[in-house]
Amino acid sequence: MNLCASIDGIVNNLSVPFNKVKAKSASYMAADLVSVGDSWLSFAIKKRLIEPIAGAEDLDWFKCLSHKWKVYLRRNDAGEIDPRGEIWAAPYRWGTMVRAYKKSKFRKHNLAPIEPELTGRISMVNSPREIIGSVLKYMGASYNSNNIDSQVAGGKIAVQQILALLANQVDPGKFNKVLAFGIRDVWAAVGGSSDVLPAVKYMSNVAVVVPKSGASLWADLWVYPCPPFYFDIHFVIPFI
């Protein structure tokens, strides 16, 4: 089993036709299943990178899903949710974005959890979706805003200004180092619950919280790659 370190890396591999790949070893072969994040599902369908799961409605795993999942997974050829569409993916894990912080640092400086200025002391997941989503949430808008100029106060300019302030707080070297609490100057981190909770389970000095205002949800899905697309790995697992 080989792992791909990012979702965009998975999609890039998915998008490379076999006839453009110069195989250097027998490891270049068709993948049976590929794992992608839910945010890439519409894109993969629209670009014909994956194919629907035939007969999914009759399979036990699909029958056991909640109604919300069944609605979410049924899409038309444009990748849009459609009650008459086909089933394109099988979810195998899901969670929410959480915040973890060093309790000792906040007690020492008499700070409220995750609310003070933390310039250079924050680690964030390296995901444009979550970074922009955090900015939109901070501005009182929705993670799911699809027209920033009309749905967000101040439009794109205001979002860019807040994004610049966030960039000043997050050390560029700490992006995608969600569990970097071993680094002395990291006081807080933002990351996926499936990564953060197991890692901090035995760290007595680290607390994990979900914002009262809410947090984004994510899911990882198994999908069938669409021929003639091939990979240099049997299947891949995303690390968010």
Side-chain angles (χ1 to χ4, degrees):
M1 179 181 69
N2 292 321
L3 304 178
C4 187
S6 66
I7 293 176
D8 56 343
I10 293 171
V11 175
N12 287 337
N13 280 322
L14 188 65
S15 304
V16 178
F18 179 71
N19 59 11
K20 292 185 179 180
V21 176
K22 296 181 179 179
K24 297 181 179 180
S25 70
S27 63
Y28 280 80
M29 59 182 65
D32 295 320
L33 290 173
V34 176
S35 177
V36 297
D38 65 289
S39 61
W40 290 96
L41 183 59
S42 293
F43 175 86
I45 295 173
K46 188 184 303 183
K47 295 297 183 180
R48 305 295 189 269
L49 303 180
I50 62 175
E51 58 184 21
I53 303 176
E57 295 91 339
D58 300 322
L59 300 178
D60 289 341
W61 66 264
F62 184 80
K63 293 179 181 179
C64 293
L65 292 177
S66 69
H67 176 70
K68 290 183 178 180
W69 270 119
K70 292 177 180 178
V71 171
Y72 183 78
L73 298 174
R74 196 178 290 276
R75 308 289 181 103
N76 58 29
D77 290 341
E80 302 166 338
I81 294 177
D82 187 337
R84 295 172 295 179
E86 298 182 276
I87 307 302
W88 291 84
Y92 68 91
R93 68 174 182 177
W94 50 86
T96 182
M97 297 302 292
V98 297
R99 299 172 179 177
Y101 64 95
K102 286 183 177 178
K103 293 184 287 186
S104 60
K105 292 292 185 181
F106 283 76
R107 284 196 298 263
K108 179 179 179 180
H109 296 275
N110 194 29
L111 301 173
I114 313 302
E115 294 177 2
E117 293 296 323
L118 296 172
T119 303
R121 302 186 186 279
I122 299 176
S123 167
M124 284 195 72
V125 63
N126 189 14
S127 167
R129 175 194 187 189
E130 297 304 334
I131 294 171
I132 298 298
S134 297
V135 171
L136 293 175
K137 194 72 176 179
Y138 174 81
M139 298 177 70
S142 170
Y143 264 79
N144 302 315
S145 300
N146 52 31
N147 190 320
I148 291 179
D149 283 327
S150 64
Q151 296 177 320
V152 181
K156 293 179 182 178
I157 294 177
V159 170
Q160 291 172 346
Q161 291 173 341
I162 300 299
L163 184 60
L165 293 176
L166 177 61
N168 289 334
Q169 288 189 314
V170 181
D171 188 319
K174 300 187 183 73
F175 274 109
N176 213 27
K177 294 183 179 178
V178 175
L179 308 178
F181 285 109
I183 302 176
R184 186 170 14 181
D185 56 350
V186 172
W187 290 10
V190 178
S193 54
S194 65
D195 295 326
V196 174
L197 295 179
V200 304
K201 185 176 181 180
Y202 302 105
M203 298 181 185
S204 60
N205 188 36
V206 177
V208 178
V209 296
V210 176
K212 291 182 179 180
S213 59
S216 67
L217 302 176
W218 56 265
D220 287 334
L221 315 168
W222 288 119
V223 296
Y224 284 131
C226 190
F229 293 91
Y230 290 80
F231 299 79
D232 60 344
I233 42 184
H234 294 282
F235 61 87
V236 287
I237 301 176
F239 288 92
I240 300 176

